[in-house]
Amino acid sequence: MVKRIAIIHHDKCHPTECGNYLCAKLCPVNRTDKECITPHPISNKARIDELLCTGCGICPKRCPFQAIEIINLPEALNKPPIHRYGENQFELFSLPSPILNKVTGLLGRNGIGKSTAFNILTGTIKPNLGDYQNQADFKEIIAQFKGTELQTILNKIKDQQLTLSYKPQQVDLIPKKFQGTVEQLLKKVDQKGKIKEIAKELELTLILNSLITEISGGELQRVAIAAATLKEANLYLYDEPSSYLDIKQRINVSKFIRSLANEETAVMVVEHDLIVFDYMTDLINIMYGQPACYGVVSGLKSTREGINTFLSGYLKEENIRFRSYPIKFEKVQSKQKEQLIPLTSWENISKKLGQFKLQAETGELYKNEIVGILGENGIGKTSFIKILAGLIKPDEGNINQQIKVAYKPQYLETESDQIVADFLKQAIQNYSNQLINPLELDKLFTKKLSQLSGGELQKVSIAHCLSQEADLFLLDEPSAYLDVEQRLSISKVIKNLTEERDLTVLVVDHDLMFLDYLSDRLIVFQGTPAKSGFLRGPFPMEEGMNLFLSGLNISLRRDSTSRRPRINKLGSVKDREQKRDNRLYYS
Ligand code: SF4
Ligand code: SF4
């Protein structure tokens, strides 16, 4: 028998506004005088009896607020979950497996139960095996996972032997809670007496006296990583440690996190930059399911096999297809010269902005292309775009065609009370099929911008930018807070819209796989942040990547199965060969 779950999103269920329990009036089971959909006696929200529901699909389609989801679970899940929050609420199957001396990665979509899993690991949530009215006995829970990697972990949770230190995902919320200096914050949590060493490893020494409210996103990220590491624990968990970091810092942080795993310490990482995730972890658990409805944790896999399985969308051992299509990395076909229509070009631009000097050699942008931009933060990327848009006049050099620019900034406005549907008015009117539907933004229409999660706000801001009437679109770090699936769906949306509207899109990002997947050409910024920035390019992908990687001392190969880019181990045969042949980016 198929196990069916019914989810009611309580925040979206408004019985007095839908016509007094419209779902109950329409339910064919209710019409036979059975009580399938009834009002909850306390919350007054709709409740669904999962045993009576036949899965006809009428109520999720007809609820005007999209408050209901009816899901047939995969056959392999014909077992109780490890935890369910309540009637018609989210449920989680199984748990990730931290292992001493290893870095274990968790790979999966946002909203799929990672926080629930962490809360169970730390003992904050006591799992109930799906029986939300009664607390399950730990012996019963352990018996259910007997013989699996989880048995040991559950025993440790039972005996309260797991102490966890956690680096949260949204580091930009830290300045709202703490106003002192970096050193003051670190001192508050320092149980190891190692502020100096850790600050040095994470390149924070020079900002120890800076105010938390005044440091950049990348600095804040490294402060948060330092703070989590300074606490005594035997399980360290880093939730998206690469956001706001440039690639150099991502690699440095990866090495740092790897160095923490030892005989007494397990490390877990949630990360959506797949190249960094691959570099940082030894083993991975894949998480799949339906966001906000249910989540499943797969068994442990080696990192390489696990990422390839994730991209394929099919778990062989479990016989579960969790995505209807595989994600493939195809070689980018360079466009023929005769197909290229110029948009604008520049010649020997030079501009001094305070202590900072920006220089750009000769270059040209075409219609219908996506150009990736690589470079450290504070190196002149935004200033250059402002020059192209005519908002800043260069001291020297020419822009040959003034153009209209639409811009999605790196840091998004989180305080606005504007309703999403109003903010996206142009996108709804003109690009429903190209932006609203593929990004599933209609679900967010009634929310305020201030109520959105980091990932939701990112998608809304990208759609808002791309719906403007402009010649050139600049997306600054569009991948931040998006999970891997969302990064790929955003890439497809940008690619399709670029093609359809003959757009020119510049994408500044530090996720190399995202840029590899998305870009036709690359611009590389070199120099020293806050002092000097040199724009080079645009180049064909291979040439641009080679130039960029040469400054980082790393080389990338393509995985033989999935064709995804992977960082070569420093000094390995491949690394030495590729460096010798000056082919740091293998395409
Ligand atoms: Fe009304 Fe939808 Fe709530 Fe049912 S689930 S009571 S249709 S708002
Ligand atoms: Fe009733 Fe289930 Fe059909 Fe909804 S899906 S209308 S609860 S039978």
Side-chain angles (χ1 to χ4, degrees):
M1 200 178 98
V2 178
K3 187 182 169 196
R4 182 174 299 117
I5 56 169
I7 303 288
I8 306 281
H9 300 296
H10 281 191
D11 57 329
K12 294 182 182 169
C13 174
H14 309 293
T16 49
E17 291 169 44
C18 70
N20 201 13
Y21 298 96
L22 177 66
C23 49
K25 288 178 189 162
L26 296 171
C27 174
V29 182
N30 275 38
R31 287 178 170 215
T32 62
D33 281 341
K34 289 184 190 140
E35 297 203 317
C36 181
I37 306 185
T38 49
H40 192 283
I42 299 167
S43 68
N44 283 333
K45 306 286 179 184
R47 72 195 285 200
I48 296 179
D49 185 324
E50 288 170 348
L51 292 174
L52 289 178
C53 168
T54 59
C56 75
I58 293 175
C59 63
K61 271 197 210 110
R62 296 292 300 277
C63 168
F65 303 110
Q66 295 165 320
I68 306 177
E69 294 192 65
I70 306 284
I71 298 150
N72 291 333
L73 292 177
E75 235 169 81
L77 290 181
N78 260 338
K79 57 181 180 187
I82 186 147
H83 189 69
R84 190 163 199 187
Y85 279 101
E87 187 180 30
N88 303 136
Q89 300 294 302
F90 182 87
E91 59 184 12
L92 176 70
F93 292 83
S94 196
L95 282 176
S97 328
I99 290 186
L100 292 175
N101 211 6
K102 299 274 183 228
V103 181
T104 309
L106 258 188
L107 184 54
R109 303 179 67 178
N110 289 330
I112 211 103
K114 282 172 288 201
S115 319
T116 309
F118 300 157
N119 284 330
I120 295 176
L121 286 176
T122 50
T124 316
I125 291 180
K126 187 145 184 273
N128 58 22
L129 294 179
D131 183 0
Y132 42 84
Q133 271 154 349
N134 300 299
Q135 283 227 329
D137 183 63
F138 244 107
K139 275 193 204 138
E140 208 187 317
I141 299 165
I142 293 168
Q144 212 202 313
F145 293 95
K146 208 168 169 196
T148 68
E149 298 119 354
L150 267 184
Q151 193 185 349
T152 332
I153 301 292
L154 288 166
N155 271 319
K156 285 195 171 164
I157 300 174
K158 177 177 78 93
D159 299 336
Q160 297 182 327
Q161 286 175 357
L162 271 189
T163 44
L164 179 135
S165 180
Y166 175 61
K167 197 291 292 173
Q169 180 204 37
Q170 268 190 284
V171 294
D172 39 8
L173 299 180
I174 298 173
K176 294 192 176 129
K177 293 184 195 146
F178 186 87
Q179 261 98 44
T181 66
V182 170
E183 190 162 19
Q184 283 165 345
L185 185 143
L186 295 181
K187 270 193 176 148
K188 270 181 84 160
V189 292
D190 182 22
Q191 294 169 339
K192 295 181 177 166
K194 282 189 168 177
I195 291 182
K196 270 195 184 147
E197 289 103 303
I198 288 176
K200 193 174 166 212
E201 283 190 65
L202 292 171
E203 296 176 0
L204 295 170
T205 311
L206 294 178
I207 59 152
L208 282 175
N209 291 323
S210 306
L211 287 172
I212 287 287
T213 44
E214 284 174 6
I215 60 178
S216 71
E219 288 165 339
L220 206 49
Q221 181 68 264
R222 284 175 288 134
V223 170
I225 293 170
T229 313
L230 284 166
K231 289 186 197 150
E232 291 283 7
N234 55 12
L235 173 58
Y236 288 87
L237 210 150
Y238 299 91
D239 198 349
E240 296 193 33
S242 80
S243 310
Y244 298 124
L245 300 184
D246 61 37
I247 184 73
K248 212 178 197 171
Q249 293 161 340
R250 287 178 189 208
I251 289 169
N252 190 27
V253 158
S254 301
K255 286 181 186 158
F256 174 78
I257 289 177
R258 284 199 68 85
S259 72
L260 302 173
N262 60 39
E263 300 292 332
E264 274 124 42
T265 315
V267 179
M268 291 194 73
V269 177
V270 175
E271 179 55 60
H272 301 299
D273 177 331
L274 276 190
I275 293 185
V276 167
F277 184 77
D278 184 28
Y279 191 63
M280 205 186 282
T281 58
D282 302 300
L283 300 159
I284 72 167
N285 288 117
I286 294 172
M287 286 192 78
Y288 62 93
Q290 197 157 318
C293 296
Y294 78 99
V296 188
V297 187
S298 79
L300 269 182
K301 298 177 190 312
S302 73
T303 296
R304 176 176 180 262
E305 185 207 341
I307 295 180
N308 285 352
T309 301
F310 176 77
L311 294 173
S312 76
Y314 177 62
L315 284 157
K316 215 165 155 196
E317 288 88 355
E318 288 95 336
N319 188 22
I320 285 177
R321 178 159 295 289
F322 56 91
R323 194 187 315 103
S324 56
Y325 56 92
I327 294 164
K328 288 188 178 147
F329 291 84
E330 312 287 357
K331 196 175 169 186
V332 178
Q333 298 293 333
S334 303
K335 291 195 175 102
Q336 298 294 319
K337 204 74 184 135
E338 55 274 16
Q339 297 175 325
L340 303 173
I341 304 165
L343 174 75
T344 186
S345 59
W346 57 91
E347 279 164 48
N348 303 318
I349 300 283
S350 156
K351 175 75 189 173
K352 204 145 188 335
L353 294 151
Q355 298 301 309
F356 178 77
K357 189 173 181 190
L358 171 69
Q359 286 172 283
E361 298 170 339
T362 309
E364 187 168 31
L365 293 173
Y366 304 118
K367 290 190 177 176
N368 189 358
E369 73 165 346
I370 301 168
V371 179
I373 300 185
L374 282 167
E376 294 176 62
N377 291 329
I379 205 146
K381 290 169 292 204
T382 316
S383 308
F384 178 70
I385 299 303
K386 285 185 178 161
I387 292 176
L388 282 186
L391 301 173
I392 303 178
K393 284 230 165 312
D395 301 331
E396 285 169 40
N398 296 315
I399 302 292
N400 294 333
Q401 177 75 45
Q402 205 91 73
I403 47 173
K404 197 169 168 223
V405 176
Y407 174 51
K408 186 215 70 81
Q410 183 187 14
Y411 300 105
L412 304 172
E413 172 58 71
T414 53
E415 309 273 305
S416 167
D417 275 344
Q418 194 175 8
I419 302 292
V420 171
D422 291 338
F423 186 62
L424 290 180
K425 209 165 155 197
Q426 252 173 292
I428 296 168
Q429 270 171 6
N430 304 323
Y431 303 110
S432 260
N433 289 335
Q434 297 91 332
L435 291 168
I436 304 294
N437 300 341
L439 297 176
E440 299 177 342
L441 298 175
D442 50 340
K443 292 181 182 166
L444 308 174
F445 279 176
T446 53
K447 288 192 173 182
K448 291 175 181 169
L449 290 174
S450 56
Q451 292 171 324
L452 301 180
S453 70
E456 290 170 342
L457 188 60
Q458 188 67 269
K459 287 201 291 182
V460 166
S461 306
I462 294 169
H464 176 259
C465 173
L466 291 176
S467 66
Q468 310 296 301
E469 290 309 315
D471 310 296
L472 178 69
F473 296 79
L474 172 68
L475 303 175
D476 200 347
E477 280 208 50
S479 77
Y481 297 130
L482 298 183
D483 62 39
V484 179
E485 304 269 350
Q486 291 168 329
R487 286 175 197 210
L488 293 162
S489 72
I490 283 282
S491 300
K492 283 202 184 118
V493 163
I494 299 172
K495 277 185 183 201
N496 291 343
L497 207 65
T498 302
E499 189 77 36
E500 195 177 304
R501 286 174 58 198
D502 252 349
L503 305 181
T504 308
V505 183
L506 299 184
V507 182
V508 177
D509 214 279
H510 302 297
D511 179 338
L512 286 186
M513 191 181 296
F514 178 67
L515 280 191
D516 177 84
Y517 190 78
L518 184 64
S519 315
D520 299 306
R521 296 194 296 160
L522 277 181
I523 283 176
V524 179
F525 274 83
Q526 297 178 312
T528 311
K531 280 190 183 157
S532 59
F534 302 95
L535 181 150
R536 312 251 190 251
F539 298 107
M541 287 300 288
E542 189 163 354
E543 204 180 329
M545 277 285 188
N546 258 332
L547 178 68
F548 177 68
L549 295 175
S550 62
L552 293 175
N553 194 26
I554 58 170
S555 59
L556 294 177
R557 69 186 182 284
R558 282 203 184 271
D559 182 79
S560 53
T561 310
S562 63
R563 307 268 313 139
R564 67 191 160 92
R566 304 186 70 194
I567 297 179
N568 287 320
K569 203 166 167 233
L570 192 68
S572 66
V573 176
K574 276 232 169 287
D575 183 52
R576 280 184 280 129
E577 271 176 14
Q578 286 182 227
K579 282 178 180 163
R580 183 197 60 208
D581 301 341
N582 199 23
R583 295 187 71 198
L584 305 175
Y585 170 73
Y586 182 64
S587 60

PDB file of all heavy atoms in Angstrom, residues 232-252:
ATOM      1  N   GLU A 232      34.506  24.284  22.723  1.00  0.00           N
ATOM      2  CA  GLU A 232      34.868  22.880  22.924  1.00  0.00           C
ATOM      3  C   GLU A 232      33.700  22.020  22.458  1.00  0.00           C
ATOM      4  O   GLU A 232      32.567  22.223  22.901  1.00  0.00           O
ATOM      5  CB  GLU A 232      35.118  22.587  24.415  1.00  0.00           C
ATOM      6  CG  GLU A 232      36.355  23.236  24.996  1.00  0.00           C
ATOM      7  CD  GLU A 232      37.651  22.526  24.604  1.00  0.00           C
ATOM      8  OE1 GLU A 232      37.608  21.610  23.770  1.00  0.00           O
ATOM      9  OE2 GLU A 232      38.702  22.948  25.128  1.00  0.00           O
ATOM     10  N   ALA A 233      33.958  21.067  21.566  1.00  0.00           N
ATOM     11  CA  ALA A 233      32.897  20.166  21.113  1.00  0.00           C
ATOM     12  C   ALA A 233      33.524  18.924  20.508  1.00  0.00           C
ATOM     13  O   ALA A 233      34.733  18.914  20.222  1.00  0.00           O
ATOM     14  CB  ALA A 233      32.027  20.878  20.078  1.00  0.00           C
ATOM     15  N   ASN A 234      32.729  17.874  20.308  1.00  0.00           N
ATOM     16  CA  ASN A 234      33.268  16.730  19.560  1.00  0.00           C
ATOM     17  C   ASN A 234      32.560  16.564  18.220  1.00  0.00           C
ATOM     18  O   ASN A 234      32.851  15.675  17.459  1.00  0.00           O
ATOM     19  CB  ASN A 234      33.239  15.436  20.384  1.00  0.00           C
ATOM     20  CG  ASN A 234      31.851  15.127  20.916  1.00  0.00           C
ATOM     21  OD1 ASN A 234      30.882  15.753  20.495  1.00  0.00           O
ATOM     22  ND2 ASN A 234      31.765  14.180  21.833  1.00  0.00           N
ATOM     23  N   LEU A 235      31.600  17.461  17.957  1.00  0.00           N
ATOM     24  CA  LEU A 235      30.986  17.498  16.623  1.00  0.00           C
ATOM     25  C   LEU A 235      30.862  18.965  16.197  1.00  0.00           C
ATOM     26  O   LEU A 235      30.170  19.750  16.843  1.00  0.00           O
ATOM     27  CB  LEU A 235      29.602  16.822  16.662  1.00  0.00           C
ATOM     28  CG  LEU A 235      28.766  16.931  15.393  1.00  0.00           C
ATOM     29  CD1 LEU A 235      29.488  16.341  14.185  1.00  0.00           C
ATOM     30  CD2 LEU A 235      27.422  16.224  15.570  1.00  0.00           C
ATOM     31  N   TYR A 236      31.549  19.307  15.119  1.00  0.00           N
ATOM     32  CA  TYR A 236      31.497  20.676  14.601  1.00  0.00           C
ATOM     33  C   TYR A 236      30.673  20.672  13.318  1.00  0.00           C
ATOM     34  O   TYR A 236      30.902  19.828  12.442  1.00  0.00           O
ATOM     35  CB  TYR A 236      32.903  21.221  14.320  1.00  0.00           C
ATOM     36  CG  TYR A 236      33.654  21.508  15.599  1.00  0.00           C
ATOM     37  CD1 TYR A 236      34.396  20.507  16.223  1.00  0.00           C
ATOM     38  CD2 TYR A 236      33.575  22.761  16.206  1.00  0.00           C
ATOM     39  CE1 TYR A 236      35.060  20.749  17.412  1.00  0.00           C
ATOM     40  CE2 TYR A 236      34.236  23.015  17.396  1.00  0.00           C
ATOM     41  CZ  TYR A 236      34.975  22.009  18.000  1.00  0.00           C
ATOM     42  OH  TYR A 236      35.608  22.263  19.177  1.00  0.00           O
ATOM     43  N   LEU A 237      29.760  21.629  13.240  1.00  0.00           N
ATOM     44  CA  LEU A 237      28.898  21.665  12.083  1.00  0.00           C
ATOM     45  C   LEU A 237      28.947  23.038  11.420  1.00  0.00           C
ATOM     46  O   LEU A 237      28.675  24.045  12.076  1.00  0.00           O
ATOM     47  CB  LEU A 237      27.494  21.394  12.595  1.00  0.00           C
ATOM     48  CG  LEU A 237      26.616  20.698  11.607  1.00  0.00           C
ATOM     49  CD1 LEU A 237      25.639  19.858  12.333  1.00  0.00           C
ATOM     50  CD2 LEU A 237      25.949  21.734  10.765  1.00  0.00           C
ATOM     51  N   TYR A 238      29.338  23.062  10.171  1.00  0.00           N
ATOM     52  CA  TYR A 238      29.467  24.343   9.457  1.00  0.00           C
ATOM     53  C   TYR A 238      28.399  24.398   8.374  1.00  0.00           C
ATOM     54  O   TYR A 238      28.434  23.627   7.427  1.00  0.00           O
ATOM     55  CB  TYR A 238      30.876  24.479   8.862  1.00  0.00           C
ATOM     56  CG  TYR A 238      31.931  24.459   9.937  1.00  0.00           C
ATOM     57  CD1 TYR A 238      32.520  23.260  10.346  1.00  0.00           C
ATOM     58  CD2 TYR A 238      32.307  25.631  10.582  1.00  0.00           C
ATOM     59  CE1 TYR A 238      33.460  23.238  11.363  1.00  0.00           C
ATOM     60  CE2 TYR A 238      33.243  25.619  11.606  1.00  0.00           C
ATOM     61  CZ  TYR A 238      33.812  24.421  11.984  1.00  0.00           C
ATOM     62  OH  TYR A 238      34.731  24.408  13.004  1.00  0.00           O
ATOM     63  N   ASP A 239      27.449  25.319   8.552  1.00  0.00           N
ATOM     64  CA  ASP A 239      26.344  25.431   7.605  1.00  0.00           C
ATOM     65  C   ASP A 239      26.687  26.518   6.580  1.00  0.00           C
ATOM     66  O   ASP A 239      26.754  27.695   6.910  1.00  0.00           O
ATOM     67  CB  ASP A 239      25.061  25.783   8.393  1.00  0.00           C
ATOM     68  CG  ASP A 239      23.803  25.507   7.590  1.00  0.00           C
ATOM     69  OD1 ASP A 239      23.920  25.245   6.386  1.00  0.00           O
ATOM     70  OD2 ASP A 239      22.706  25.556   8.178  1.00  0.00           O
ATOM     71  N   GLU A 240      26.934  26.103   5.366  1.00  0.00           N
ATOM     72  CA  GLU A 240      27.314  26.988   4.254  1.00  0.00           C
ATOM     73  C   GLU A 240      28.490  27.907   4.594  1.00  0.00           C
ATOM     74  O   GLU A 240      28.352  29.129   4.624  1.00  0.00           O
ATOM     75  CB  GLU A 240      26.104  27.795   3.788  1.00  0.00           C
ATOM     76  CG  GLU A 240      25.028  26.885   3.223  1.00  0.00           C
ATOM     77  CD  GLU A 240      23.954  27.621   2.465  1.00  0.00           C
ATOM     78  OE1 GLU A 240      24.258  28.639   1.837  1.00  0.00           O
ATOM     79  OE2 GLU A 240      22.808  27.159   2.507  1.00  0.00           O
ATOM     80  N   PRO A 241      29.658  27.323   4.830  1.00  0.00           N
ATOM     81  CA  PRO A 241      30.804  28.153   5.216  1.00  0.00           C
ATOM     82  C   PRO A 241      31.403  28.980   4.075  1.00  0.00           C
ATOM     83  O   PRO A 241      32.247  29.821   4.326  1.00  0.00           O
ATOM     84  CB  PRO A 241      31.827  27.113   5.709  1.00  0.00           C
ATOM     85  CG  PRO A 241      31.469  25.846   5.020  1.00  0.00           C
ATOM     86  CD  PRO A 241      29.982  25.884   4.847  1.00  0.00           C
ATOM     87  N   SER A 242      30.957  28.755   2.818  1.00  0.00           N
ATOM     88  CA  SER A 242      31.632  29.484   1.732  1.00  0.00           C
ATOM     89  C   SER A 242      30.915  30.766   1.301  1.00  0.00           C
ATOM     90  O   SER A 242      31.496  31.558   0.557  1.00  0.00           O
ATOM     91  CB  SER A 242      31.824  28.568   0.517  1.00  0.00           C
ATOM     92  OG  SER A 242      30.631  28.489  -0.203  1.00  0.00           O
ATOM     93  N   SER A 243      29.672  30.988   1.765  1.00  0.00           N
ATOM     94  CA  SER A 243      28.957  32.197   1.296  1.00  0.00           C
ATOM     95  C   SER A 243      29.778  33.458   1.574  1.00  0.00           C
ATOM     96  O   SER A 243      30.356  33.592   2.654  1.00  0.00           O
ATOM     97  CB  SER A 243      27.614  32.367   2.005  1.00  0.00           C
ATOM     98  OG  SER A 243      26.890  31.202   1.949  1.00  0.00           O
ATOM     99  N   TYR A 244      29.793  34.350   0.623  1.00  0.00           N
ATOM    100  CA  TYR A 244      30.502  35.651   0.661  1.00  0.00           C
ATOM    101  C   TYR A 244      32.028  35.532   0.549  1.00  0.00           C
ATOM    102  O   TYR A 244      32.716  36.557   0.525  1.00  0.00           O
ATOM    103  CB  TYR A 244      30.183  36.450   1.933  1.00  0.00           C
ATOM    104  CG  TYR A 244      28.734  36.808   2.073  1.00  0.00           C
ATOM    105  CD1 TYR A 244      28.007  36.458   3.197  1.00  0.00           C
ATOM    106  CD2 TYR A 244      28.083  37.508   1.061  1.00  0.00           C
ATOM    107  CE1 TYR A 244      26.668  36.784   3.311  1.00  0.00           C
ATOM    108  CE2 TYR A 244      26.751  37.825   1.174  1.00  0.00           C
ATOM    109  CZ  TYR A 244      26.056  37.464   2.297  1.00  0.00           C
ATOM    110  OH  TYR A 244      24.729  37.790   2.411  1.00  0.00           O
ATOM    111  N   LEU A 245      32.561  34.318   0.540  1.00  0.00           N
ATOM    112  CA  LEU A 245      34.019  34.201   0.415  1.00  0.00           C
ATOM    113  C   LEU A 245      34.403  34.113  -1.056  1.00  0.00           C
ATOM    114  O   LEU A 245      33.674  33.509  -1.848  1.00  0.00           O
ATOM    115  CB  LEU A 245      34.520  32.937   1.122  1.00  0.00           C
ATOM    116  CG  LEU A 245      34.247  32.805   2.615  1.00  0.00           C
ATOM    117  CD1 LEU A 245      34.897  31.536   3.154  1.00  0.00           C
ATOM    118  CD2 LEU A 245      34.768  34.022   3.372  1.00  0.00           C
ATOM    119  N   ASP A 246      35.561  34.700  -1.419  1.00  0.00           N
ATOM    120  CA  ASP A 246      36.024  34.490  -2.783  1.00  0.00           C
ATOM    121  C   ASP A 246      36.711  33.132  -2.838  1.00  0.00           C
ATOM    122  O   ASP A 246      36.888  32.467  -1.822  1.00  0.00           O
ATOM    123  CB  ASP A 246      36.897  35.658  -3.260  1.00  0.00           C
ATOM    124  CG  ASP A 246      38.145  35.846  -2.431  1.00  0.00           C
ATOM    125  OD1 ASP A 246      38.722  34.836  -2.001  1.00  0.00           O
ATOM    126  OD2 ASP A 246      38.550  37.005  -2.219  1.00  0.00           O
ATOM    127  N   ILE A 247      37.100  32.719  -4.032  1.00  0.00           N
ATOM    128  CA  ILE A 247      37.548  31.330  -4.199  1.00  0.00           C
ATOM    129  C   ILE A 247      38.830  31.036  -3.402  1.00  0.00           C
ATOM    130  O   ILE A 247      38.985  29.960  -2.836  1.00  0.00           O
ATOM    131  CB  ILE A 247      37.685  30.967  -5.713  1.00  0.00           C
ATOM    132  CG1 ILE A 247      38.061  29.507  -5.921  1.00  0.00           C
ATOM    133  CG2 ILE A 247      38.619  31.864  -6.444  1.00  0.00           C
ATOM    134  CD1 ILE A 247      36.972  28.530  -5.664  1.00  0.00           C
ATOM    135  N   LYS A 248      39.691  32.040  -3.304  1.00  0.00           N
ATOM    136  CA  LYS A 248      40.931  31.862  -2.550  1.00  0.00           C
ATOM    137  C   LYS A 248      40.590  31.562  -1.086  1.00  0.00           C
ATOM    138  O   LYS A 248      41.117  30.632  -0.474  1.00  0.00           O
ATOM    139  CB  LYS A 248      41.705  33.186  -2.613  1.00  0.00           C
ATOM    140  CG  LYS A 248      43.191  33.052  -2.588  1.00  0.00           C
ATOM    141  CD  LYS A 248      43.695  34.480  -2.703  1.00  0.00           C
ATOM    142  CE  LYS A 248      45.107  34.588  -3.104  1.00  0.00           C
ATOM    143  NZ  LYS A 248      45.465  35.964  -3.404  1.00  0.00           N
ATOM    144  N   GLN A 249      39.666  32.344  -0.549  1.00  0.00           N
ATOM    145  CA  GLN A 249      39.254  32.158   0.851  1.00  0.00           C
ATOM    146  C   GLN A 249      38.491  30.844   1.013  1.00  0.00           C
ATOM    147  O   GLN A 249      38.588  30.183   2.043  1.00  0.00           O
ATOM    148  CB  GLN A 249      38.370  33.320   1.300  1.00  0.00           C
ATOM    149  CG  GLN A 249      39.127  34.633   1.377  1.00  0.00           C
ATOM    150  CD  GLN A 249      38.176  35.816   1.369  1.00  0.00           C
ATOM    151  OE1 GLN A 249      37.019  35.722   0.954  1.00  0.00           O
ATOM    152  NE2 GLN A 249      38.666  36.965   1.804  1.00  0.00           N
ATOM    153  N   ARG A 250      37.729  30.452  -0.007  1.00  0.00           N
ATOM    154  CA  ARG A 250      36.990  29.183   0.077  1.00  0.00           C
ATOM    155  C   ARG A 250      37.957  28.010   0.221  1.00  0.00           C
ATOM    156  O   ARG A 250      37.723  27.080   0.991  1.00  0.00           O
ATOM    157  CB  ARG A 250      36.106  28.989  -1.168  1.00  0.00           C
ATOM    158  CG  ARG A 250      34.920  29.888  -1.153  1.00  0.00           C
ATOM    159  CD  ARG A 250      34.026  29.767  -2.385  1.00  0.00           C
ATOM    160  NE  ARG A 250      33.061  30.864  -2.312  1.00  0.00           N
ATOM    161  CZ  ARG A 250      31.852  30.861  -2.821  1.00  0.00           C
ATOM    162  NH1 ARG A 250      31.425  29.834  -3.503  1.00  0.00           N
ATOM    163  NH2 ARG A 250      31.051  31.896  -2.684  1.00  0.00           N
ATOM    164  N   ILE A 251      39.033  28.083  -0.528  1.00  0.00           N
ATOM    165  CA  ILE A 251      39.999  26.982  -0.462  1.00  0.00           C
ATOM    166  C   ILE A 251      40.713  26.987   0.888  1.00  0.00           C
ATOM    167  O   ILE A 251      40.881  25.944   1.520  1.00  0.00           O
ATOM    168  CB  ILE A 251      40.975  27.070  -1.648  1.00  0.00           C
ATOM    169  CG1 ILE A 251      40.197  26.705  -2.904  1.00  0.00           C
ATOM    170  CG2 ILE A 251      42.183  26.145  -1.470  1.00  0.00           C
ATOM    171  CD1 ILE A 251      40.870  26.954  -4.169  1.00  0.00           C
ATOM    172  N   ASN A 252      41.050  28.161   1.359  1.00  0.00           N
ATOM    173  CA  ASN A 252      41.704  28.287   2.664  1.00  0.00           C
ATOM    174  C   ASN A 252      40.811  27.762   3.784  1.00  0.00           C
ATOM    175  O   ASN A 252      41.237  26.984   4.644  1.00  0.00           O
ATOM    176  CB  ASN A 252      42.065  29.778   2.883  1.00  0.00           C
ATOM    177  CG  ASN A 252      42.963  29.959   4.081  1.00  0.00           C
ATOM    178  OD1 ASN A 252      43.710  29.041   4.436  1.00  0.00           O
ATOM    179  ND2 ASN A 252      42.879  31.095   4.724  1.00  0.00           N
TER     180      ASN A 252
END
